[in-house]
Amino acid sequence: MRARLAVHVSRQQCELREIVLRDKAPEFLAASPKGTVPVLVKPDGAVIEESLEVMLWALHESDPDSWLVPPSGDLDAMLALIEACDREFKANLDAYKYASRAAPENGVQARNAGAQFLVELDGRLTVQPYFFGERLTLADMAIFPFVRQFANVDRDWFDQQTWPHLLKWLEDLLASSRFADVMKKYSKWQNGSDIVVFN
Ligand SMILES: N[C@@H](CCC(=O)N[C@@H](CS)C(=O)NCC(=O)O)C(=O)O
């Protein structure tokens, strides 16, 4: 989702091939044997197989909303926050999410550990509406999908926590037209499918 958000804002047109994870197209695995989405194949054939790298590629191509240039702080500071999300918070999110399906009580420790990062994010938002100032940046959009997933595990619990600024931030992003655009559903791609143009 975050890769799509950045490609969307950058107005890069690309062919979209929807991959079904339980039935991955052989062409997808040939392009990227590690088998995780997203994967972006550039016009020269080079392959990008990490979502953050896709975001950075798209924004380096074109960054009309200045997502790479935050009103406060800089790109390195944004990348540091994103790394904290991608490493520690994401691990806690996965442990919380998957424990909660089989045995909800086992997820509590992971939920509490993940919540520490969310408290930190809420703290940033006490002085500004977005993580790096007055407007959306790469950091907000790279982290947003994971906060959304965390919230969706147990929305009642999430809404009861004392992170009012984070709740507002999440609601605003969920209500945005860009989010609606990238959440559009596509049918599974297979060799011979019609070309679907994204953007
Ligand atoms: N660090 C990678 C993680 C990508 C990832 O794990 N994607 C999941 C889906 S959200 C996936 O493709 N899993 C492979 C599978 O379930 O077979 C990135 O951000 O691009």
Side-chain angles (χ1 to χ4, degrees), residues 24-164:
K24 294 171 186 165
E27 293 83 355
F28 162 71
L29 291 170
S32 177
K34 91 177 165 92
T36 62
V37 294
V39 166
L40 186 131
V41 182
K42 294 201 284 185
D44 67 2
V47 175
I48 308 178
E49 45 190 4
E50 281 293 322
S51 56
L52 180 59
E53 297 302 322
V54 174
M55 294 186 89
L56 293 170
W57 168 81
L59 296 169
H60 282 304
E61 290 291 311
S62 163
D63 185 15
D65 289 9
S66 301
W67 283 13
L68 293 177
V69 190
S72 76
D74 57 17
L75 180 58
D76 284 346
M78 292 199 292
L79 292 175
L81 188 68
I82 294 167
E83 185 168 321
C85 172
D86 287 10
R87 285 177 188 270
E88 203 176 337
F89 179 69
K90 176 71 165 50
N92 287 320
L93 165 64
D94 287 344
Y96 173 35
K97 202 163 65 175
Y98 297 118
S100 88
R101 285 190 194 153
E105 62 285 359
N106 295 346
V108 170
Q109 196 183 344
R111 183 182 74 186
N112 292 342
Q116 289 176 23
F117 182 63
L118 299 181
V119 168
E120 182 191 325
L121 295 181
D122 186 69
R124 288 180 166 268
L125 300 174
T126 56
V127 292
Q128 55 199 5
Y130 297 101
F131 295 154
F132 284 85
E134 291 302 313
R135 58 171 173 76
L136 277 175
T137 63
L138 170 74
D140 299 279
M141 293 317 230
I143 293 171
F144 159 57
F146 300 114
V147 177
R148 172 178 172 269
Q149 281 183 35
F150 194 97
N152 284 347
V153 178
D154 181 347
R155 193 63 218 228
D156 289 341
W157 177 86
F158 189 87
D159 287 346
Q160 284 159 19
Q161 306 311 300
T162 42
W163 40 51

